[in-house]
Amino acid sequence: QVQLQESGPGLVKPSETLSLTCTVSGGSINSSDFYWGWIRQPPGKGLEWIGYIHYSGSAYYNPSLKSRVTISVDTSKSQFSLNLSSVTAADTAVYYCARDFGTSRMDHWGQGTLVTVSS
Amino acid sequence: EIVLTQSPATLSLSPGERATLSCRASQSVSSYLVWYQQKPGQAPRLLIYDASTRATGIPARFRGSGSGTDFTLTISSLEPEDFAVYYCQQRSTWPITFGQGTRLEIK
């Protein structure tokens, strides 16, 4: 059974860069069938797609965040990562990583990690 | 960007009743529509993809229907564990977008 686990700082200062890593276990990150994505959810609000990446390195981002987002993949470690620069309080959210199956659905999710932007 | 509008925002029903949740897209998404269930403190859970295909392990009481711009998630007879927030998601066009959610609460 595929499992995903987010890791990274729970507190980031305004204007700094938020960095999270998702570790994939129980399945291969190298499959051509999957993309590996990030989604966030501000407290008490809905879901926002941030972007996803294929193991080959092809990445797609939400235009609303594109200027600040980079998603990368490290197949040797079965990990993919999110960098979000110049954060503000509006970036405070639970950040989820997920497996995207054939670009048709997100079928496995991490448990989520709360990142708070505050000085 | 395709906007998904879910209705109602909140649905209050009793166990055993039938729930009907709606998701309307601002333009056609064909059948590229997904439904997720989210319980408090948990990650979303995949229920339905391609508008009507149940994900692995999802009970038959969950049924998705629709195409184009109008979609419905029907729960035929509510179980206590079904009370949660439900989100639709479109996969037709980048960026992937979600609806704002329907909260299904116990009456």
Side-chain angles (χ1 to χ4, degrees):
Chain A
Q1 175 75 338
V2 174
Q3 292 186 313
L4 296 89
Q5 178 67 58
E6 304 90 350
S7 59
L11 181 64
V12 180
K13 289 181 167 56
S15 80
E16 295 189 343
T17 296
L18 178 160
S19 296
L20 296 173
T21 296
C22 183
T23 302
V24 179
S25 60
S28 174
I29 202 171
N30 290 331
S31 172
S32 60
D33 290 337
F34 307 126
Y35 282 73
W36 304 93
W38 291 96
I39 303 95
R40 70 180 183 177
Q41 184 172 38
K45 297 187 177 180
L47 299 161
E48 180 181 31
W49 179 71
I50 299 171
Y52 56 32
I53 191 166
H54 192 256
Y55 84 95
S56 63
S58 298
Y60 301 85
Y61 303 126
N62 192 324
S64 67
L65 299 168
K66 188 174 182 179
S67 64
R68 299 193 290 130
V69 171
T70 302
I71 299 176
S72 58
V73 63
D74 186 339
T75 57
S76 67
K77 295 182 179 179
S78 281
Q79 294 178 335
F80 61 104
S81 298
L82 169 69
N83 278 355
L84 180 65
S85 64
S86 305
V87 297
T88 69
D91 296 309
T92 293
V94 175
Y95 285 76
Y96 295 100
C97 59
R99 188 179 82 169
D100 210 300
F101 190 98
T103 69
S104 75
R105 66 233 188 226
M106 297 167 183
D107 64 343
H108 287 86
W109 295 63
Q111 65 185 25
T113 187
L114 174 62
V115 179
T116 301
V117 178
S118 175
S119 55
Chain B
E1 173 174 314
I2 294 177
V3 176
L4 299 178
T5 302
Q6 292 187 241
S7 61
T10 303
L11 186 57
S12 299
L13 294 170
S14 300
E17 291 192 295
R18 179 187 187 94
T20 303
L21 288 68
S22 174
C23 177
R24 176 164 290 178
S26 59
Q27 63 189 74
S28 177
V29 299
S30 185
S31 293
Y32 300 113
L33 197 285
V34 186
W35 290 95
Y36 299 90
Q37 175 194 68
Q38 187 179 34
K39 296 180 180 180
Q42 296 184 17
R45 173 195 182 196
L46 174 65
L47 294 177
I48 302 283
Y49 63 95
D50 293 344
S52 61
T53 303
R54 275 191 308 275
T56 302
I58 301 303
R61 64 180 181 273
F62 290 90
R63 178 176 173 268
S65 61
S67 66
T69 60
D70 290 301
F71 299 87
T72 301
L73 175 67
T74 303
I75 310 171
S76 58
S77 179
L78 286 165
E79 297 288 340
E81 62 267 27
D82 297 338
F83 292 91
V85 179
Y86 292 83
Y87 292 95
C88 58
Q89 177 198 59
Q90 66 82 21
R91 309 295 306 225
S92 173
T93 307
W94 287 310
I96 294 168
T97 52
F98 291 89
Q100 83 280 14
T102 289
R103 180 178 304 278
L104 179 55
E105 63 177 28
I106 299 177
K107 187 174 183 180

